[in-house]
Amino acid sequence: MSVTRAQVRGIGHYLPERIVENAEFESLVETSDEWIRSRSGIERRHFVAEGQTTSDIATLAAEAALADAGLCAGDIDAVIVATSTADLTFPAAATMVQAKLGMTGGFAFDIQAVCAGFVFALSTANALIIAGQARRVLVIGAETFSRILDWQDRSTCVLFGDGAGALVLEAAEGTGETSDRGILASDLHSDGQYRDILYVDGGVSTQSTGLLRMQGKEVFRHAIAKLAETAHASLERAGLSAADVDWIVPHQANLRIIRGTAQKMGLGMDRVVLTVQDHGNTSAASIPLALSVGKGRGQIKAGQLIVTEAIGGGLAWGSVVLRW
């Protein structure tokens, strides 16, 4: 049976030039390189330059993905940007990327599901392609979390970084079998009763900017179980199991969460693409960044089965199973 699959045509990323090592935080808060590494696995992260915006870095990642795909902006039907740190309240950062790429056709919009944003964006792009509303979709995760950090809160300011990753999804014909390339299944969830364990304490209707607030122990408590459950759900929906997985490409938030999730799935760390040590938590950008870096390292190859999973504020969480 012939089916439409959303296949990855190209991928790219951008990391800001400024690299911030853990030691830099020792002059801001009571912390140390050893303390940060032992609790998160993070060694360094990137911060945007003065005046550099989320749409700026999203555009650079998009250009890299288009180049990798051998396409130009005019070949794209839709742009989806997953972000919690858009340049303005409106319009969407995606429309700004659309303009910077020189696109005058198609459509563009943002998705806001915090760290789970890219998974939600992938699932949405897949649905658009299957429905025939778009043939090629540029899916971007981009964040400038350095703009919303409380530099006096050592439990959060050391964890996050800035960056952007992008991929091009393209409609292609599949057989309907698990051997097809492209997105095979997804699984999405949210539960607003947990809002207060990870949020920004400001917004438009409160007429304040706000800073990131997190109850780290509570987020950790939810993360491992929910991430493993959603990964298994996507795999089951695709007719596959953890034994079929070549790579887990998880949200890069915390090394202990990544290890715990892999263990709960019955997979070793040798099957996990890991970038948290160099990027920190880049929220919606972390999965596409890891996919792009993983491909660049030679880890991710055509035909391999990949599971991506993420959890973030909301709480919102989900996973996608795709064959590269």
Side-chain angles (χ1 to χ4, degrees):
M1 179 183 70
S2 178
V3 299
T4 299
R5 295 291 197 192
Q7 296 182 358
V8 178
R9 172 75 181 264
I11 191 161
H13 70 276
Y14 173 79
L15 289 163
E17 291 181 9
R18 183 186 171 198
I19 299 173
V20 180
E21 302 286 346
N22 287 343
E24 283 198 38
F25 289 95
E26 294 175 7
S27 62
L28 294 175
V29 291
E30 185 181 346
T31 192
S32 67
D33 176 55
E34 189 280 330
W35 189 91
I36 298 168
R37 287 186 191 223
S38 65
R39 284 158 178 79
S40 68
I42 297 167
E43 300 173 20
R44 63 193 59 83
R45 73 288 293 145
H46 295 248
F47 284 165
V48 288
E50 186 73 26
Q52 196 172 32
T53 67
T54 296
S55 70
D56 289 336
I57 65 174
T59 302
L60 292 167
E63 289 171 344
L66 287 169
D68 185 55
L71 298 170
C72 65
D75 297 318
I76 301 299
D77 302 308
V79 179
I80 304 175
V81 174
T83 188
S84 300
T85 52
D87 302 16
L88 302 172
T89 300
F90 68 84
T95 61
M96 299 180 188
V97 173
Q98 184 187 30
K100 290 173 183 179
L101 290 174
M103 289 175 59
T104 55
F107 57 97
F109 61 94
D110 291 354
I111 282 184
Q112 213 279 50
V114 199
C115 299
F118 190 77
V119 169
F120 277 58
L122 271 185
S123 182
T124 302
N126 181 53
L128 288 170
I129 288 171
I130 290 173
Q133 291 185 276
R135 175 168 173 74
R136 295 191 185 100
V137 183
L138 185 56
V139 189
I140 307 167
E143 302 282 17
T144 51
F145 258 52
S146 61
R147 308 291 197 216
I148 56 169
L149 298 179
D150 181 349
W151 300 108
Q152 296 181 331
D153 180 4
R154 75 168 187 164
S155 67
T156 59
C157 72
V158 300
L159 301 179
F160 294 88
D162 303 332
L167 59 77
V168 178
L169 283 181
E170 181 178 67
E173 190 174 298
T175 64
E177 302 296 322
T178 58
S179 58
D180 285 350
R181 289 187 58 232
I183 293 178
L184 303 179
S186 62
D187 180 64
L188 304 177
H189 301 270
S190 63
D191 190 340
Q193 71 175 307
Y194 299 114
R195 186 206 72 165
D196 290 343
I197 69 175
L198 179 54
Y199 67 103
V200 168
D201 61 358
V204 177
S205 65
T206 58
Q207 295 187 311
S208 59
T209 303
L211 298 173
L212 185 145
R213 306 299 178 196
M214 180 172 69
Q215 297 177 35
K217 289 181 180 178
E218 282 298 300
V219 173
F220 187 92
R221 186 172 68 84
H222 285 279
I224 294 174
K226 285 179 167 58
L227 290 173
E229 286 168 6
T230 186
H232 281 303
S234 282
L235 285 165
E236 184 176 356
R237 197 165 290 167
L240 296 161
S241 70
D244 298 307
V245 176
D246 291 297
W247 293 105
I248 305 172
V249 184
H251 169 45
Q252 309 283 323
N254 183 298
L255 182 56
R256 291 187 297 157
I257 292 174
I258 293 169
R259 282 177 174 157
T261 303
Q263 184 177 26
K264 205 167 182 65
M265 291 179 65
L267 298 173
M269 287 298 290
D270 60 334
R271 290 161 74 178
V272 178
V273 174
L274 201 62
T275 59
V276 67
Q277 69 279 3
D278 296 320
H279 301 166
N281 183 345
T282 55
S283 188
S286 77
I287 288 175
L289 271 168
L291 285 168
S292 183
V293 169
K295 183 192 174 189
R297 288 174 181 163
Q299 292 174 294
I300 298 173
K301 298 180 175 65
Q304 291 184 325
L305 190 74
I306 293 167
V307 176
T308 68
E309 30 83 354
I311 187 168
L315 289 174
W317 67 99
S319 60
V320 170
V321 175
L322 65 93
R323 192 171 297 282
W324 198 255

